[in-house]
Amino acid sequence: MSDNYVPSSKFGKWFNDRLPLLSLSAHLREYPTPKNLNYWWTFGAILTFCLVAQIATGIVLAMHYVAHADLAFNSIEHIMRDINYGWLLRYLHSNGSSMFFLAVYIHIFRSLFYGSHKSPREIIWVLGMLIYILMMATAFMGYVLPWGQMSFWAATVITNLFTAIPLIGDSITTWFWGGYAVDNPTLNRFFSLHYLFPFLILGLVILHIWALHVPGNNNPTGIEIQKPSKDTVPFHPYITMKDIFALLIFLIIFCGFVFFSPNILGHPDNYIPANPMVTPSHIVPEWYLLPFYAILRSVPDKLGGVILLFASLFILVGLPWLDRSKVKSAIFRPIYKWFFWLLVLDVLVLGYMGAAPAEGTYLLIARVATAYYFLHFLVILPVLSSVEKTDPLPLSISDPVLKG
Amino acid sequence: MEKSGKKNNRRDFLFTASYTIGAVGIGATIWPFIDQMNPDSSVKALATTEVNISQIEPGKSITVLWRGKPVFIKRRTQSEISEAQSVDLNELKHPEKDEDRVKKSEWLVMLGICTHLGCVPLSNKGEYNGWFCPCHGSHYDTSGRIRKGPAPVNMEIPKYEFVDSNTIKIG
């Protein structure tokens, strides 16, 4: 195994004794992976690709973008019209964020279904949630940079969330803004942080993978297996090939957006330059933030709405300690399985309500869905972990396949 | 025993003193990195705006920018004034008399910013003939007081004065 890996060449051995990069590479190639992983497990690799692609397109866009309130909007148009392939790089970057979130949501729900957040993988989960929260912050700041109407008013509404904090809220918000409203100082610092955060995410991703490599992958049966054993295959070439194949399918969808409907996920009002005097009549966040926006709006009280919004995120961090069922995979949890799909439906409903006007029936549905969201995590999961009668687990991942 | 106890005390004192000085030093070093994000001198210098109001007809309003924020200057009609003055304060979420919100009852000068999440409300809209915020549905009356919706307080009145009968200085 990689622990006692010895490079074949003399130079390789000399180098590896001083910096064991070759041992690391051998570990990554031989890393024993459960042989029953399905395609839902390919999203880790897809997400790594998304992060690298966002960083690569972002760095080249930053070579042409100007982070100034008077120039930002026109510099984006300059990228779109004049820069060689500027339109392609920008559309890859803006649609890339949507694809990134699509993949991360699938990745998170895969964890929830197969119990990948449970012992001994709690730290992987917590790191993953931190990555997700940082992703939202990064995406939000990136959305502000084109300095269109939606950019400006998204920045205004989101930063105003912090004015709800008693006593110090106003000073904190003024500090965020660097002024008395969202203005040039705000744009400038958002650009700086939007450049920084992806590298923080990259650091967390490395820790996330490191923490994964300690217990190894979970698998669809959710039972822990001997590694390496007849239940595992080496990461390369088995998993690398599968990941690359899934990535290619993912890229087809990605390119579909980029080349055929690059603006469908955006909002046309963001092609109007920012105007602090006029708020667009219907402001909505990007689709991937809509469920949380619905939660915010479902509370008729300002501070209450903000508290619930942040609670809905931080409750996820505590998930491994809320769901205490010893059985990981929903395949062997006949009742949890239904609640899992109900949660998926609930989040989709919240997303739909986040885009609808906050009034009448829409508001009522949003309130019910918000209540259910918290009910799922705070009541249903803890109760279910003690009352649910789970199905018998197989002895090994080969067992159900071979005994027939 | 006593000797070593004494020695420990001296050492504890040195540790505590070092940690304290170290913490103060680190705090003092971090502060410039935090404070640089607060409004700078050039932003603070733009703190006043003078506005000519002689062209505003009764019932009309103008919006001017002050410190990057919209300020509504509305010349109210007699009916709007009496509507604002006749409201029972017990009905209000944030009770304020109309008289306390204006310097001359004809002129309402206030920050055109919804106190919920900072959008600019639309004039002459909503259930109370004042302003309506399209973002999350807050209704304000003809005095800019919150009547319905998620906003917690009335729209803010900035510091302003009448320089002469035709000019207002905001800030």
Side-chain angles (χ1 to χ4, degrees), chain B residues 89-106:
Chain B
L89 289 189
N90 295 324
E91 280 177 34
L92 298 175
K93 190 172 179 180
H94 177 197
E96 268 186 318
K97 278 196 209 156
D98 183 59
E99 289 84 340
D100 296 338
R101 291 178 57 78
V102 291
K103 293 213 165 128
K104 295 180 183 172
S105 62
E106 195 178 17

Side-chain angles (χ1 to χ4, degrees), chain A residues 103-293:
Chain A
V104 94
Y105 282 124
I106 295 173
H107 194 63
I108 291 171
F109 277 112
R110 189 270 292 155
S111 272
L112 294 180
F113 189 84
Y114 293 112
S116 302
H117 52 285
K118 294 186 182 202
S119 174
R121 296 184 181 80
E122 300 97 320
I123 300 294
I124 311 175
W125 171 262
V126 171
L127 287 167
M129 283 300 118
L130 294 180
I131 291 170
Y132 173 51
I133 291 169
L134 270 184
M135 272 175 66
M136 290 200 277
T138 310
F140 158 67
M141 289 190 289
Y143 191 58
V144 173
L145 301 184
W147 213 238
Q149 272 291 66
M150 281 292 157
S151 299
F152 184 88
W153 292 101
T156 299
V157 168
I158 301 295
T159 51
N160 263 297
L161 291 178
F162 295 93
T163 59
I165 303 169
L167 301 173
I168 51 167
D170 285 330
S171 343
I172 288 185
T173 314
T174 305
W175 178 71
F176 274 145
W177 288 338
Y180 304 103
V182 171
D183 209 334
N184 188 52
T186 325
L187 173 62
N188 217 162
R189 67 192 53 180
F190 275 20
F191 178 58
S192 167
L193 296 175
H194 183 71
Y195 209 121
L196 166 71
F197 277 25
F199 294 97
L200 298 183
I201 293 175
L202 182 63
L204 285 174
V205 166
I206 290 170
L207 294 183
H208 189 68
I209 296 172
W210 186 2
L212 169 70
H213 280 230
V214 177
N217 288 71
N218 185 29
N219 67 76
T221 65
I223 57 173
E224 296 299 323
I225 53 172
Q226 284 290 316
K227 298 173 189 90
S229 71
K230 64 180 175 46
D231 284 340
T232 65
V233 290
F235 190 78
H236 181 74
Y238 295 94
I239 305 296
T240 42
M241 286 307 120
K242 188 167 179 168
D243 282 348
I244 287 170
F245 179 70
L247 178 61
L248 289 174
I249 306 282
F250 183 80
L251 282 175
I252 291 173
I253 300 166
F254 190 167
C255 290
F257 279 109
V258 169
F259 291 106
F260 295 99
S261 53
N263 287 308
I264 198 164
L265 297 169
H267 197 292
D269 276 13
N270 219 26
Y271 284 101
I272 303 169
N275 178 359
M277 311 271 264
V278 181
T279 306
S281 60
H282 187 52
I283 61 168
V284 282
E286 291 278 80
W287 69 268
Y288 40 80
L289 302 176
L290 286 173
F292 299 103
Y293 194 59

Side-chain angles (χ1 to χ4, degrees), chain A residues 321-340:
Chain A
W321 297 276
L322 291 169
D323 178 5
R324 306 204 62 99
S325 173
K326 290 272 183 292
V327 174
K328 295 194 192 92
S329 173
I331 293 175
F332 304 104
R333 298 183 64 186
I335 308 176
Y336 173 74
K337 194 186 288 176
W338 289 102
F339 283 111
F340 169 82

